[in-house]
Amino acid sequence: MEGIPHPIPRTVEEVFSDFKGRRAGLIKALTTDVEKFYQQCDPEKENLCLYGLPNETWEVNLPVEEVPPELPEPALGINFARDGMQEKDWLSLVAVHSDSWLLAVAFYFGARFGFGKNERKKLFQMINDLPTIFEVVTGTVKQPKEQSASGKSKSSVKVPRQSEPQTKPVKMSPPPKEDDDSGGEEEEEDDEQGATCGACGDNYGTDEFWICCDVCEKWFHGKCVKITPAKAEHIKQYKCPSCSSKRARV
């Protein structure tokens, strides 16, 4: 990557300022300057990378030749995937890799200049207060934990409901069945003792993403069924692996 040398950040505030500048440049490339960015990512060219610069600009360029590089490098060969995907999906993919690269650069500086536990925590909190590039590019911004998962998401995917802090986790009870008029209160009490993952059997935790199968109504850790919150937003009706395999055998 060529360009004018930039001052090396040495404090938490300086690293965060560097992060914000690079982030602003990347967002420009993927939003306001997207046509120019798209044209520069020619699949006929060699492996290309998208760089965000501290002065809030961006550039598409070949990776640096020195090994190991002075800074962590962005995702290599983003131009090769351009024509094999829909534009919005390709831009989302580049955005995710750009988020990962920004974190790598920020914590590289932290490691290089000996940031301690408190400094690393402060840096992450400052970064975490900003929406990710992926959220900006796709128009999705996560709700605060206190307000999230109050039922079904926009895509009708069920998410465990979180209530005020308590010693036992609570999951959203399934709709009452028509032929089950008796014993409803007892079942609800048992249900509130804690949801368990249908895959690993662990109890529900408020700090983890969960998803409910719309067929068998069992809850699963997102990580156990390989479903992320971002992927869940695009699922209209979720079927767990077991229900999916049953449907396939019919």
Side-chain angles (χ1 to χ4, degrees):
M1 180 182 62
E2 300 178 357
I4 301 174
H6 299 280
I8 298 176
R10 296 176 181 271
T11 66
V12 172
E13 289 72 20
E14 289 174 343
V15 172
F16 181 59
S17 178
D18 179 271
F19 176 93
K20 288 196 300 180
R22 296 177 187 273
R23 172 180 174 273
L26 292 169
I27 290 176
K28 285 180 182 178
L30 299 174
T31 55
T32 56
D33 297 346
V34 67
E35 293 184 6
K36 180 180 177 182
F37 168 64
Y38 189 89
Q39 292 173 357
Q40 291 189 20
C41 292
D42 186 351
E44 298 299 323
K45 295 182 180 180
E46 298 182 45
N47 290 302
L48 295 175
C49 300
L50 171 61
Y51 294 90
L53 306 181
N55 61 357
E56 300 187 6
T57 61
W58 60 275
E59 69 175 9
V60 172
N61 210 334
L62 295 171
V64 296
E65 295 181 358
E66 60 180 333
V67 178
E70 182 181 356
L71 289 176
E73 283 289 288
L76 181 66
I78 57 173
N79 51 316
F80 295 148
R82 191 196 73 176
D83 293 346
M85 307 172 64
Q86 292 187 5
E87 182 176 345
K88 65 177 182 178
D89 294 331
W90 176 68
L91 292 174
S92 296
L93 178 64
V94 176
V96 169
H97 282 291
S98 296
D99 282 319
S100 300
W101 177 66
L102 285 178
L103 288 173
V105 171
F107 282 88
Y108 162 80
F109 285 131
R112 180 175 176 181
F113 296 109
F115 284 7
K117 178 180 178 181
N118 292 335
E119 291 171 309
R120 294 194 303 270
K121 182 177 180 180
K122 179 181 178 181
L123 175 60
F124 178 77
Q125 289 176 336
M126 294 170 73
I127 292 174
N128 201 41
D129 285 338
L130 297 174
T132 64
I133 297 176
F134 174 80
E135 290 172 333
V136 173
V137 171
T138 59
T140 60
V141 178
K142 296 178 182 179
Q143 297 178 343
K145 279 189 175 182
E146 293 79 9
Q147 299 176 359
S148 63
S150 60
K152 294 185 179 180
S153 64
K154 292 181 180 179
S155 59
S156 77
V157 176
K158 297 177 181 177
V159 179
R161 181 169 54 201
Q162 299 177 9
S163 59
E164 296 180 358
Q166 51 186 13
T167 57
K168 297 180 180 179
V170 178
K171 85 175 184 68
M172 185 172 61
S173 302
K177 299 180 180 179
E178 295 180 357
D179 57 349
D180 189 14
D181 294 333
S182 61
E185 294 182 359
E186 295 180 1
E187 291 183 3
E188 184 176 354
E189 291 178 359
D190 292 340
D191 188 55
E192 290 180 354
Q193 295 302 312
T196 56
C197 175
C200 68
D202 286 348
N203 291 330
Y204 165 65
T206 58
D207 60 342
E208 297 178 297
F209 171 71
W210 282 58
I211 188 169
C212 180
C213 175
D214 287 307
V215 178
C216 65
E217 295 193 341
K218 291 181 180 179
W219 290 103
F220 297 88
H221 287 110
K223 63 183 180 182
C224 290
V225 291
K226 298 181 179 179
I227 299 293
T228 63
K231 187 175 182 180
E233 287 293 331
H234 302 286
I235 300 176
K236 294 183 179 180
Q237 184 181 43
Y238 174 69
K239 297 177 184 177
C240 67
S242 177
C243 291
S244 297
S245 61
K246 290 179 182 179
R247 180 62 59 88
R249 291 196 297 265
V250 176

